[in-house]
Amino acid sequence: MKVLVCGGAGYIGAHMCRMLASAGHEVFVFDNLSTGHAYAVQWGPLVQGDLLRPDDLERIFAARSYDVVMHFCAKSLVGESMRDPGGYFRNNVTGTVNLLDAMVRHGTRNFIFSSSAAVYGMPHDVPLAEDHPTAPINPYGRTKLLVEQLLPAYDIQFGIRSVALRYFNAAGAALDGLIGEDHEPETHLIPNILRSVVDKHTGPLQVFGDDYDTPDGSCVRDYIHVNDIASAHMLAMDHLARGGTSQVMNLGNGAGFSVLQVVDTARRVTGKRIDYQVMPRRPGDPPVLVASATKAHTDLGWRPQFDTLESIVETAWTWHRNRAARE
Ligand code: UFG
């Protein structure tokens, strides 16, 4: 199939492109390179463009037709979204509306959307199933929910069927260390732990809060390997190709690990000492986020391959060592 990967130069998008290409699909990348990297575009041509510039979209859609659009372009930092709500709404909501409208104009009818566990807000019950109330507590989560809420209208009116995948905590890297998580600044836990080991200038890891109502007081998250996220997209694409209906699904392993458990795991994987400082809570962090991914298992036949935290951290460690060696 011909797949347009918007955001294909980014962390998850690049792993997606690699998996698509190795399964024999044709990949086309659209990315503004604001957070993605040209070096990560290796599995199909890059058109540098921005969802907020309709002419850029027109250019990529006029060039050829696509069977599926996968949409990974988003600003995705909770704290930044609180400081810059307008930027988040423009980029994540208006940008997506522009993309959907271009799909309508050019007759592309299959859409896979990167949503987020951030749509749930503060959980009432864990694990979180898709029918848990959605009440995002930050602008980032609201932008993801707004797009989810727009998708049925595009389905009814224009026949654009979609799968919105609510990622929990994406982590890990390619097994061979070729691509991985490369954000600047980095805010995510696993890369920050590993950077504190490989980069002497980073200083000790900061642990945001040890007084949550969790077994060790630090926040609990469900870490899911980036390739397992990509494999769910492959299955979502098959689902749409078979004529399947629009869906919303969680992607997680269904197992929660606290920040301090992740630090311990990284200590075992790296064999290094990992110092940390306990800091105040980070605003907007729910204490526990763990997925029920039963729907993706049942409806897509999805089975994550990286089902231990060790295996996920090992791949991230390979990437961080490679990256440090290159610099
Ligand atoms: N954390 C630290 N120190 C760090 C970085 C993170 O203690 O240096 C903690 C955070 O406070 C949080 C946990 O580690 O408790 C995980 O934090 P991440 O930043 O790695 O991930 P988040 O859970 O904040 O973010 C993820 C997705 C977001 C999504 C959010 C939903 O990456 O896109 O879940 O809450 F919005």
Side-chain angles (χ1 to χ4, degrees), residues 196-236:
S196 79
V197 174
V198 291
D199 182 352
K200 297 282 165 285
H201 309 294
T202 307
L205 175 76
Q206 301 187 324
V207 169
F208 299 125
D210 66 350
D211 56 353
Y212 286 96
D213 185 15
T214 59
D216 65 21
S218 64
C219 285
V220 171
R221 292 290 182 271
D222 182 340
Y223 294 90
I224 178 78
H225 194 274
V226 61
N227 279 347
D228 285 325
I229 289 181
S231 73
H233 286 67
M234 302 291 282
L235 294 166

Side-chain angles (χ1 to χ4, degrees), residues 15-294:
H15 288 79
M16 186 74 242
C17 291
R18 190 177 194 183
M19 191 175 286
L20 282 165
S22 63
H25 298 288
E26 274 186 85
V27 172
F28 304 89
V29 173
F30 182 80
D31 201 299
N32 66 7
L33 300 183
S34 62
T35 55
H37 306 278
Y39 77 75
V41 183
Q42 304 182 25
W43 296 280
L46 167 68
V47 169
Q48 197 173 337
D50 197 303
L51 294 180
L52 293 176
R53 286 198 299 265
D55 288 353
D56 291 354
L57 278 166
E58 207 43 44
R59 198 154 42 97
I60 191 146
F61 276 93
R64 62 181 52 74
S65 60
Y66 305 98
D67 299 299
V68 185
V69 173
M70 296 188 179
H71 179 25
F72 298 92
C73 304
K75 289 176 176 279
S76 61
L77 302 178
V78 168
E80 185 183 64
S81 80
M82 289 159 108
R83 293 189 296 275
D84 179 24
Y88 270 67
F89 279 91
R90 253 189 311 282
N91 192 80
N92 294 3
V93 182
T94 308
T96 304
V97 169
N98 290 346
L99 176 59
L100 288 165
D101 285 346
M103 289 177 63
V104 170
R105 283 196 302 280
H106 291 273
T108 309
R109 293 292 180 261
N110 298 317
F111 187 62
I112 304 181
F113 175 61
S114 303
S115 189
S116 167
V119 299
Y120 293 113
M122 289 294 172
H124 307 308
D125 308 297
V126 280
L128 286 141
E130 290 81 358
D131 59 1
H132 184 284
T134 47
I137 53 172
N138 50 63
Y140 168 67
R142 276 188 210 108
T143 65
K144 292 290 173 180
L145 185 59
L146 273 171
V147 172
E148 282 194 12
Q149 290 168 339
L150 278 171
L151 291 175
Y154 278 83
D155 188 342
I156 292 165
Q157 190 60 33
F158 304 111
I160 293 184
R161 285 170 304 116
S162 61
V163 179
L165 297 169
R166 294 177 175 167
Y167 311 160
F168 281 63
N169 286 61
L175 287 176
D176 59 4
L178 182 65
I179 47 175
E181 198 165 1
D182 190 358
H183 297 128
E184 208 53 67
E186 186 52 76
T187 63
H188 293 114
L189 178 63
I190 293 175
N192 275 351
I193 295 175
L194 299 177
R195 281 185 181 200
S196 79
V197 174
V198 291
D199 182 352
K200 297 282 165 285
H201 309 294
T202 307
L205 175 76
Q206 301 187 324
V207 169
F208 299 125
D210 66 350
D211 56 353
Y212 286 96
D213 185 15
T214 59
D216 65 21
S218 64
C219 285
V220 171
R221 292 290 182 271
D222 182 340
Y223 294 90
I224 178 78
H225 194 274
V226 61
N227 279 347
D228 285 325
I229 289 181
S231 73
H233 286 67
M234 302 291 282
L235 294 166
M237 185 169 80
D238 295 345
H239 166 86
L240 293 175
R242 282 195 306 271
T245 54
S246 294
Q247 298 289 338
V248 176
M249 291 180 199
N250 287 337
L251 295 183
N253 267 315
F257 293 93
S258 72
V259 172
L260 297 179
Q261 284 176 313
V262 179
V263 171
D264 258 353
T265 305
R267 216 175 257 141
R268 280 198 303 280
V269 167
T270 62
K272 309 272 188 199
R273 177 194 164 116
I274 296 171
D275 295 324
Y276 64 84
Q277 286 172 336
V278 176
M279 306 295 287
R281 293 180 179 196
R282 194 171 68 172
D285 274 344
V288 180
L289 284 174
V290 178
S292 160
T294 308

Side-chain angles (χ1 to χ4, degrees), residues 295-318:
K295 194 169 170 196
H297 298 166
T298 313
D299 294 5
L300 296 182
W302 179 62
R303 292 281 176 281
Q305 300 297 303
F306 294 83
D307 55 1
T308 64
L309 185 60
E310 272 82 1
S311 64
I312 295 174
V313 174
E314 272 162 16
T315 63
W317 179 226
T318 304

